[in-house]
Amino acid sequence: MRRTSYHHGDLKNSIIKSCHKLLQKKGASDFSLREVATLSGVSHAAVYRHFQDKEEVLEILSSIGFDRLGSLQKKVPQVSGNPDDYFVKLGLVYIQFAVKNPNYYRLMFQTKRTSESKILKQSKLKSYAILVRGCRFYLKEKRRKENHRSFALMAWSLVHGYSNLCIETDFPETESKNLKKTKMEMAEDILRFSI
């Protein structure tokens, strides 16, 4: 029987969508390209006509993750006169993305690669640039003299660390019960304490 699920020439995107579903469900290490082919309704060989190997697919997914994170952070409005709220919201968007998309987050930040594709490097840089610009805006509004790149690294370390605690441990959950706050309320406190 002939397969017709990709007759419009959109097989590559269909495969990416299948990978997205499997990544969300199982994690990067727990799905195979054979499963991707089955979910996409194509032969195993068809996947390899579009992608060299699973690593290439994972890099594309990682790039998509950085693009989505950057897009969410871009939506946080920079309102003059209220830089503290802007800084906190920028951090909360990051943490919420991580908590809602733990498998994407792990793939994006916990996968070491010896070399990266150009598209992945660009997605990472664009995402980080949003944070750097946000920190420059924050420091300028507060009339503070710190270097905005150093401040961005501090801010990233803070939200990245808290996100990892939420994803990899039970500590934020148990501590939030002790403090009678949600994990996001605790995250907001941490961000406000940092500024």
Side-chain angles (χ1 to χ4, degrees):
M1 183 172 138
R2 193 170 170 208
R3 298 173 192 266
T4 59
S5 61
Y6 60 94
H7 67 286
H8 292 295
D10 202 21
L11 176 57
K12 191 169 186 174
N13 283 332
S14 174
I15 292 169
I16 294 292
K17 286 177 185 174
S18 296
C19 291
H20 166 77
K21 288 176 186 173
L22 289 169
L23 176 66
Q24 292 284 59
K25 184 178 177 182
K26 302 177 86 172
S29 61
D30 295 330
F31 74 84
S32 68
L33 290 186
R34 192 168 295 282
E35 288 176 284
V36 171
T38 301
L39 189 60
S40 300
V42 299
S43 71
H44 189 221
V47 174
Y48 284 98
R49 283 197 285 275
H50 291 276
F51 302 99
Q52 183 178 332
D53 53 22
K54 184 178 174 183
E55 183 59 29
E56 182 182 0
V57 171
L58 294 179
E59 281 208 352
I60 291 168
L61 290 173
S62 187
S63 175
I64 290 169
F66 281 108
D67 291 343
R68 287 180 178 172
L69 174 59
S71 177
L72 291 169
Q73 288 188 302
K74 266 186 179 176
K75 290 178 183 175
V76 179
Q78 291 182 346
V79 180
S80 293
N82 202 350
D84 288 353
D85 279 355
Y86 167 75
F87 180 81
V88 169
K89 285 177 185 171
L90 194 64
L92 288 175
V93 163
Y94 182 103
I95 295 166
Q96 287 166 341
F97 174 85
V99 170
K100 288 179 182 176
N101 303 281
N103 290 334
Y104 259 101
Y105 186 79
R106 288 184 186 104
L107 177 63
M108 291 159 60
F109 292 108
Q110 296 175 356
T111 304
K112 288 189 177 181
R113 295 177 172 89
T114 52
S115 62
E116 293 178 343
S117 66
K118 186 177 178 182
I119 191 168
L120 179 55
K121 284 179 186 174
Q122 287 175 338
S123 293
K124 281 182 167 185
L125 287 172
K126 283 181 191 173
S127 177
Y128 190 61
I130 293 165
L131 174 63
V132 172
R133 283 194 303 273
C135 288
R136 184 182 327 145
F137 166 80
Y138 171 78
L139 292 171
K140 185 177 177 185
E141 286 288 307
K142 297 290 280 187
R143 300 179 192 271
R144 289 171 55 173
K145 302 295 183 190
E146 292 99 321
N147 180 288
H148 65 280
R149 296 187 75 83
S150 297
F151 194 80
L153 184 57
M154 178 281 300
W156 183 28
S157 300
L158 186 66
V159 294
H160 185 73
Y162 188 78
S163 296
N164 275 333
L165 284 173
C166 288
I167 292 170
E168 305 297 338
T169 74
D170 292 329
F171 181 75
E173 191 70 42
T174 55
E175 195 65 6
S176 69
K177 289 175 185 172
N178 291 334
L179 295 171
K180 295 183 173 49
K181 293 187 174 189
T182 67
K183 287 189 286 189
M184 284 304 139
E185 287 171 337
M186 284 175 41
E188 183 170 349
D189 286 348
I190 289 166
L191 287 161
R192 291 197 185 276
F193 292 154
S194 73
I195 52 177

